[in-house]
Amino acid sequence: MNNGQEANNVRSKFHDLFKEAEEKVYLNSKYNKLSCVVHLYHLKCLNGWSNKSFSMLLEFLTDLLPEGNLLPKTTQQVKKMMSRLGLGYEKIHSCPNGCMLFWEDKEKDEYCSICGSSRWIVPEDNSSNEMSPIKKKASKILQRVNDGKLRHPVDALAWNDFDRKYPEFTSDSRNVRLALASDGFNPFRTMNTTHSIWPVILIPYNLPPWLVMKQPNFILSLIIHGPSSPGNKIDVYMQPLIKELKELWEVGVDTFDASRKENFQLKASIFCIISDFPGYANLFGWSTKGKRACPVCGFETISRWLPEGKKWCYMCHRRWLPVDHHWRKDTRSFVEKTEVREAPNPVTGEDVLQQLGDNEFLVQCVDDCPWKKKSILFMLPYWKHLLLRHNLDLMHIENNVSENFTGTFLDQDKKSKDNYKARLYLKLLGIRKELHPKKRPRSNTAFLPKACYPMTRTEKSRFLKTLKSIKPPDEFSSNISRCVQLKDKKLIGLKSYD
């Protein structure tokens, strides 16, 4: 059978399944078979129903609805139906040490070809990955309002730069641009149990701003789970996803456009990565710790070791200010003298590949340098040409900065950044002399001079009482009043969305 006949058979089979799924559950029902099944299965997942209880519910609903209804009777039938429509998943075993996947030509191997570990050492499939194919139905086309305002990534320089470099891809507005987001979490909600799950989620940016970040539009493409974080070996687990993404870029997938009633070749590209700072290191390959922790400044990162706290302090941020900014000439508030240097040039994808040289994918760099690997994302033909490849998750930054500020203003124990070590840093750097630790007269004990930023007891009471009385709209934030402790003058337990 040639490729054309095979494609026609697949298309015909998909149309038959789609037509079957569009049939009404029963006469005059407002739900078709597909929407009803998806809605029920969504409730099952959200509420943690077991397969047995879900099958019992389906049997009851089948008896309850009019005779001749098309509702499946078991959980297995529901899963089979969704799998036939392209909504299934595939389990892929991996080496317990994260060296390789038992996939493609090595699918039937019993031992890792790199470290020799047995495939079956772990009884439970803790190292498997679950990958779901990208849905094969065209989504809504983004209706752009070009008025010069930044409402959506489509209005940004990175999007327009991609349009200019790849006009063939952008000529069809139905081609999908995806953001790839990943982070780790403990599924058991307790720090006493060591386990790590890293979902890799694809977010279609062809949707309007009010739909982009809605949960139903997320595509769970990969799940990496095991006793610990995959770290720099996350690339090993991302091989099946990268293979699919290359096919979606070069060939595309035969897709039915429901609005135009026609088939077309849907193509897709990764527009950017979204992660926190440690995740940035895993996906990019540059170490975000130590002397050169900034992936943007790269080898031009300027840092200084602070022996008192045994940590690195990163300097010379005034380089990023406009050339005529008055802080560049402020020698009293900053360590350095007048700053005349320009900001470092952003590192392009070509620069990264030149720095990495002949290093191969999936091989860890052993040299004493910030580069730990060559990211597997560079296997995508367009990745090195993207203007902005990585984005930091604002939620983590806002949460950490907010906690540091409130802890310092309220002078909370173990939360304030104004402590003895911080004052020693100021003394070591030779700035803010009025805040340096001082010795008491006729005593060897040191004390910290009072700074201007901590609140007084009266100010703390006013501030916390105001927060205590706030009544935000539904779903705007959690109950902030529960985080306020008026007696101890503390603010604890705030979440990122608060």
Side-chain angles (χ1 to χ4, degrees), residues 214-457:
K214 293 293 184 180
Q215 184 181 352
N217 298 320
F218 289 0
I219 302 172
L220 181 59
S221 63
L222 196 71
I223 297 178
I224 307 168
H225 62 102
S228 60
S229 166
N232 289 324
K233 293 183 178 180
I234 191 173
D235 287 2
V236 174
Y237 304 99
M238 289 179 62
Q239 290 179 84
L241 175 60
I242 296 299
K243 180 184 177 182
E244 253 193 44
L245 289 171
K246 287 183 68 176
E247 292 175 355
L248 284 170
W249 171 259
E250 296 169 353
V251 181
V253 61
D254 191 31
T255 308
F256 178 68
D257 187 336
S259 61
R260 301 184 186 179
K261 306 297 182 183
E262 65 181 17
N263 284 79
F264 72 103
Q265 284 298 114
L266 174 70
K267 294 188 176 183
S269 66
I270 295 293
F271 175 65
C272 65
I273 301 293
I274 304 174
S275 64
D276 60 4
F277 205 48
Y280 190 164
N282 296 341
L283 292 167
F284 183 46
W286 180 278
S287 175
T288 55
K289 300 177 182 178
K291 185 177 181 180
R292 299 187 180 95
C294 179
V296 179
C297 296
F299 288 98
E300 295 187 45
T301 303
I302 298 177
S303 57
R304 182 172 177 177
W305 178 254
L306 300 176
E308 294 293 340
K310 296 182 179 180
K311 62 173 64 174
W312 288 98
C313 176
Y314 303 99
M315 322 287 289
C316 304
H317 302 101
R318 288 183 294 166
R319 291 184 297 168
W320 297 93
L321 295 174
V323 178
D324 57 348
H325 200 283
H326 65 277
W327 278 2
R328 280 180 169 267
K329 299 180 181 180
D330 186 351
T331 57
R332 180 178 180 275
S333 305
F334 298 92
V335 178
E336 300 85 7
K337 298 179 181 179
T338 302
E339 181 61 81
V340 296
R341 293 171 296 179
E342 295 182 355
N345 293 322
V347 180
T348 64
E350 289 90 345
D351 295 336
V352 172
L353 292 177
Q354 186 176 4
Q355 292 175 11
L356 287 167
D358 297 329
N359 286 318
E360 298 181 0
F361 297 106
L362 306 180
V363 176
Q364 307 296 312
C365 301
V366 296
D367 297 335
D368 185 19
C369 75
W371 286 115
K372 299 302 178 185
K373 65 177 182 180
K374 180 189 288 187
S375 174
I376 196 173
L377 291 164
F378 280 104
M379 293 183 69
L380 301 175
Y382 52 85
W383 188 250
K384 64 180 179 181
H385 299 301
L386 294 184
L387 189 64
L388 182 63
R389 297 179 298 278
H390 295 268
N391 293 277
L392 290 176
D393 181 3
L394 189 62
M395 179 188 72
H396 291 82
I397 300 172
E398 284 183 335
N399 186 41
N400 294 338
V401 172
S402 176
E403 280 192 352
N404 292 340
F405 271 120
T406 55
T408 302
F409 294 154
L410 294 172
D411 197 21
Q412 288 185 220
D413 186 32
K414 297 182 180 180
K415 294 288 185 180
S416 174
K417 291 299 178 181
D418 183 21
N419 50 40
Y420 183 70
K421 286 185 179 180
R423 298 292 183 92
L424 287 178
Y425 299 157
L426 298 179
K427 185 177 180 180
L428 179 65
L429 298 174
I431 59 175
R432 308 278 180 164
K433 295 182 180 180
E434 68 277 7
L435 298 178
H436 293 180
K438 293 181 172 52
K439 290 187 177 181
R440 299 185 184 278
R442 304 180 217 172
S443 173
N444 290 327
T445 59
F447 72 97
L448 303 181
K450 186 173 178 59
C452 62
Y453 35 83
M455 296 180 180
T456 64
R457 289 187 63 83

Side-chain angles (χ1 to χ4, degrees), residues 94-112:
S94 74
C95 166
N97 298 321
C99 303
M100 56 162 278
L101 296 178
F102 294 97
W103 174 62
E104 291 191 327
D105 58 328
K106 298 182 180 180
E107 182 178 0
K108 296 183 179 180
D109 289 3
E110 297 290 332
Y111 296 93
C112 174

Side-chain angles (χ1 to χ4, degrees), residues 94-146:
S94 74
C95 166
N97 298 321
C99 303
M100 56 162 278
L101 296 178
F102 294 97
W103 174 62
E104 291 191 327
D105 58 328
K106 298 182 180 180
E107 182 178 0
K108 296 183 179 180
D109 289 3
E110 297 290 332
Y111 296 93
C112 174
S113 60
I114 298 175
C115 69
S117 298
S118 171
R119 175 178 184 168
W120 309 108
I121 285 180
V122 183
E124 299 178 0
D125 193 15
N126 288 336
S127 302
S128 66
N129 307 323
E130 299 178 4
M131 180 176 64
S132 59
I134 295 178
K135 298 178 182 178
K136 298 182 179 179
K137 185 177 178 182
S139 57
K140 298 180 181 178
I141 300 174
L142 173 63
Q143 301 296 326
R144 181 180 180 185
V145 180
N146 192 1

